[in-house]
Amino acid sequence: MDDEPGFDDFVAEQADALLRYGYVLTGNPHDAADLVQEALVRLRGAWPKVRRKDSPHSYVRTTMARLHISIWRRHRREHLTGEPPERVHHDAFPPDEDQGLWEELAVLPRRQRAVLVLRYYEQLTDAEIAEVLGISPGTVRGYASRGLDKLRSSLSPSPVTHGSMR
Protein backbone atom coordinates (compact mmCIF):
# COMPACT_ATOMS: atom_id res chain seq x y z
CA MET A 1 0.00 0.00 0.00
CA ASP A 2 1.72 3.18 -1.19
CA ASP A 3 0.73 6.33 0.65
CA GLU A 4 3.02 8.44 -1.56
CA PRO A 5 2.05 7.96 -5.21
CA GLY A 6 4.88 8.02 -7.69
CA PHE A 7 7.75 7.12 -5.34
CA ASP A 8 7.75 3.41 -6.18
CA ASP A 9 7.56 4.19 -9.90
CA PHE A 10 10.46 6.64 -9.59
CA VAL A 11 12.61 4.05 -7.81
CA ALA A 12 11.73 1.36 -10.35
CA GLU A 13 12.61 3.64 -13.28
CA GLN A 14 15.76 5.23 -11.85
CA ALA A 15 17.40 2.50 -9.73
CA ASP A 16 19.84 1.30 -12.40
CA ALA A 17 20.89 4.82 -13.41
CA LEU A 18 21.37 5.81 -9.77
CA LEU A 19 23.42 2.69 -9.12
CA ARG A 20 25.68 3.52 -12.07
CA TYR A 21 26.05 7.09 -10.79
CA GLY A 22 26.91 5.77 -7.33
CA TYR A 23 29.52 3.49 -8.88
CA VAL A 24 31.10 6.41 -10.70
CA LEU A 25 31.28 8.35 -7.43
CA THR A 26 32.58 5.53 -5.23
CA GLY A 27 34.39 3.19 -7.61
CA ASN A 28 32.90 0.23 -5.74
CA PRO A 29 29.57 -1.52 -6.45
CA HIS A 30 28.91 -2.25 -2.77
CA ASP A 31 29.51 1.33 -1.66
CA ALA A 32 27.42 2.47 -4.64
CA ALA A 33 24.48 0.34 -3.49
CA ASP A 34 24.78 1.71 0.06
CA LEU A 35 24.92 5.27 -1.27
CA VAL A 36 21.82 4.77 -3.43
CA GLN A 37 19.94 3.17 -0.57
CA GLU A 38 20.70 6.01 1.84
CA ALA A 39 19.83 8.65 -0.77
CA LEU A 40 16.50 6.94 -1.53
CA VAL A 41 15.68 6.77 2.19
CA ARG A 42 16.22 10.52 2.39
CA LEU A 43 14.24 11.11 -0.80
CA ARG A 44 11.34 9.10 0.61
CA GLY A 45 11.21 11.38 3.64
CA ALA A 46 11.11 14.47 1.46
CA TRP A 47 9.02 12.95 -1.37
CA PRO A 48 5.84 15.06 -1.02
CA LYS A 49 7.83 18.30 -1.13
CA VAL A 50 10.31 17.19 -3.82
CA ARG A 51 7.59 15.75 -6.05
CA ARG A 52 5.74 19.08 -6.11
CA LYS A 53 8.70 21.47 -6.38
CA ASP A 54 11.83 19.93 -7.82
CA SER A 55 13.06 17.18 -10.02
CA PRO A 56 13.35 14.06 -7.85
CA HIS A 57 16.20 12.87 -10.07
CA SER A 58 18.27 15.99 -9.37
CA TYR A 59 17.44 15.86 -5.69
CA VAL A 60 18.60 12.27 -5.25
CA ARG A 61 21.80 12.79 -7.26
CA THR A 62 22.71 15.88 -5.25
CA THR A 63 21.96 13.94 -2.08
CA MET A 64 24.25 11.12 -3.26
CA ALA A 65 27.11 13.54 -4.00
CA ARG A 66 26.74 15.21 -0.60
CA LEU A 67 26.54 11.88 1.23
CA HIS A 68 29.68 10.73 -0.55
CA ILE A 69 31.49 13.92 0.50
CA SER A 70 30.40 13.50 4.11
CA ILE A 71 31.94 10.02 4.05
CA TRP A 72 35.29 11.58 3.05
CA ARG A 73 35.11 13.97 5.92
CA ARG A 74 34.47 11.21 8.43
CA HIS A 75 37.09 8.83 7.04
CA ARG A 76 39.98 11.04 5.97
CA ARG A 77 42.73 8.74 7.09
CA GLU A 78 43.88 5.79 5.11
CA HIS A 79 43.89 2.39 6.74
CA LEU A 80 47.12 0.62 5.97
CA THR A 81 47.12 -3.14 5.69
CA GLY A 82 49.74 -5.77 5.00
CA GLU A 83 48.11 -6.78 1.74
CA PRO A 84 46.02 -4.76 -0.67
CA PRO A 85 42.32 -5.64 -0.73
CA GLU A 86 41.02 -7.77 -3.54
CA ARG A 87 39.27 -5.81 -6.24
CA VAL A 88 35.94 -7.21 -7.28
CA HIS A 89 34.18 -5.72 -10.27
CA HIS A 90 30.51 -6.12 -10.93
CA ASP A 91 29.80 -7.19 -14.51
CA ALA A 92 26.92 -4.74 -14.93
CA PHE A 93 29.13 -1.68 -14.59
CA PRO A 94 32.01 -0.78 -16.92
CA PRO A 95 32.42 -2.68 -20.17
CA ASP A 96 35.76 -4.44 -20.68
CA GLU A 97 37.08 -1.87 -23.16
CA ASP A 98 36.61 0.92 -20.57
CA GLN A 99 37.96 -1.06 -17.61
CA GLY A 100 41.34 0.72 -17.62
CA LEU A 101 39.71 4.13 -17.39
CA TRP A 102 37.43 3.00 -14.55
CA GLU A 103 40.37 1.53 -12.65
CA GLU A 104 42.38 4.72 -13.03
CA LEU A 105 39.39 6.85 -12.04
CA ALA A 106 38.93 4.72 -8.92
CA VAL A 107 42.49 5.38 -7.71
CA LEU A 108 42.19 9.16 -7.96
CA PRO A 109 41.74 11.00 -4.67
CA ARG A 110 38.06 11.21 -3.80
CA ARG A 111 37.69 14.94 -4.35
CA GLN A 112 39.35 14.84 -7.76
CA ARG A 113 37.16 11.89 -8.73
CA ALA A 114 34.02 13.66 -7.53
CA VAL A 115 34.87 16.82 -9.49
CA LEU A 116 35.50 14.82 -12.67
CA VAL A 117 32.30 12.81 -12.22
CA LEU A 118 30.21 15.93 -11.63
CA ARG A 119 31.81 17.74 -14.56
CA TYR A 120 31.83 15.03 -17.20
CA TYR A 121 29.11 12.59 -16.08
CA GLU A 122 26.65 15.09 -14.62
CA GLN A 123 27.61 17.95 -17.00
CA LEU A 124 27.67 20.50 -14.15
CA THR A 125 29.46 23.84 -14.41
CA ASP A 126 32.34 24.74 -12.11
CA ALA A 127 30.03 27.00 -10.08
CA GLU A 128 27.48 24.20 -9.67
CA ILE A 129 30.18 21.72 -8.67
CA ALA A 130 31.56 24.22 -6.16
CA GLU A 131 28.12 24.60 -4.62
CA VAL A 132 27.51 20.85 -4.41
CA LEU A 133 30.95 20.13 -2.89
CA GLY A 134 31.10 23.23 -0.71
CA ILE A 135 34.38 24.49 -2.22
CA SER A 136 35.37 27.47 -4.36
CA PRO A 137 35.20 27.38 -8.18
CA GLY A 138 38.99 27.84 -8.28
CA THR A 139 39.44 24.73 -6.16
CA VAL A 140 37.10 22.86 -8.52
CA ARG A 141 39.28 23.84 -11.48
CA GLY A 142 42.43 22.81 -9.59
CA TYR A 143 41.02 19.38 -8.69
CA ALA A 144 39.82 18.89 -12.27
CA SER A 145 43.19 19.85 -13.71
CA ARG A 146 45.17 17.59 -11.38
CA GLY A 147 42.72 14.71 -11.87
CA LEU A 148 42.85 14.96 -15.65
CA ASP A 149 46.66 15.18 -15.58
CA LYS A 150 46.81 11.98 -13.50
CA LEU A 151 44.39 10.19 -15.84
CA ARG A 152 46.30 11.31 -18.93
CA SER A 153 49.65 10.21 -17.55
CA SER A 154 48.37 6.87 -16.32
CA LEU A 155 46.43 6.02 -19.49
CA SER A 156 48.94 7.16 -22.09
CA PRO A 157 51.68 4.72 -23.04
CA SER A 158 55.08 5.53 -21.63
CA PRO A 159 57.44 6.95 -24.23
CA VAL A 160 60.26 4.60 -25.15
CA THR A 161 63.66 6.21 -24.93
CA HIS A 162 66.47 4.92 -27.08
CA GLY A 163 69.71 6.09 -25.56
CA SER A 164 73.09 5.04 -26.76
CA MET A 165 75.46 3.37 -24.36
CA ARG A 166 79.20 3.64 -24.86
Side-chain angles (χ1 to χ4, degrees), residues 84-118:
E86 291 184 29
R87 291 196 159 220
V88 178
H89 297 284
H90 193 280
D91 292 336
F93 291 101
D96 290 338
E97 63 269 7
D98 292 339
Q99 193 64 40
L101 175 62
W102 288 100
E103 288 172 355
E104 294 303 324
L105 188 63
V107 298
L108 287 177
R110 289 179 183 240
R111 289 182 184 227
Q112 289 177 10
R113 182 172 62 231
V115 166
L116 293 178
V117 166
L118 292 172

Side-chain angles (χ1 to χ4, degrees), residues 73 111 115 126-127 129-140 143:
R73 291 181 178 148
R111 289 182 184 227
V115 166
D126 289 348
I129 295 169
E131 183 180 331
V132 168
L133 299 181
I135 57 179
S136 73
T139 304
V140 169
Y143 283 145

Side-chain angles (χ1 to χ4, degrees), residues 2-164:
D2 186 16
D3 57 337
E4 291 298 335
F7 181 76
D8 290 339
D9 293 336
F10 173 80
V11 172
E13 291 172 6
Q14 298 297 320
D16 289 340
L18 293 174
L19 193 57
R20 285 189 302 272
Y21 179 63
Y23 181 81
V24 171
L25 283 174
T26 65
N28 177 319
H30 305 291
D31 291 342
D34 291 344
L35 192 61
V36 170
Q37 183 177 7
E38 181 62 29
L40 289 175
V41 166
R42 292 179 184 209
L43 174 63
R44 178 63 177 92
W47 183 251
K49 179 174 51 172
V50 172
R51 184 179 50 138
R52 284 192 308 269
K53 287 181 155 183
D54 301 319
S55 163
H57 188 70
S58 297
Y59 178 91
V60 76
R61 283 182 164 213
T62 300
T63 300
M64 288 173 67
R66 289 182 178 163
L67 284 169
H68 185 60
I69 292 163
S70 73
I71 291 169
W72 300 339
R73 291 181 178 148
R74 279 185 294 208
H75 305 289
R76 286 186 181 190
R77 296 182 183 218
E78 292 182 26
H79 300 285
L80 301 178
T81 62
E83 295 181 33
E86 291 184 29
R87 291 196 159 220
V88 178
H89 297 284
H90 193 280
D91 292 336
F93 291 101
D96 290 338
E97 63 269 7
D98 292 339
Q99 193 64 40
L101 175 62
W102 288 100
E103 288 172 355
E104 294 303 324
L105 188 63
V107 298
L108 287 177
R110 289 179 183 240
R111 289 182 184 227
Q112 289 177 10
R113 182 172 62 231
V115 166
L116 293 178
V117 166
L118 292 172
R119 180 181 275 184
Y120 295 105
Y121 187 80
E122 282 296 308
Q123 302 289 317
L124 297 182
T125 65
D126 289 348
E128 292 168 329
I129 295 169
E131 183 180 331
V132 168
L133 299 181
I135 57 179
S136 73
T139 304
V140 169
R141 289 188 291 278
Y143 283 145
S145 176
R146 286 190 294 279
L148 289 172
D149 286 345
K150 286 181 183 179
L151 286 176
R152 283 185 194 111
S153 66
S154 64
L155 293 174
S156 65
S158 301
V160 177
T161 57
H162 295 95
S164 62

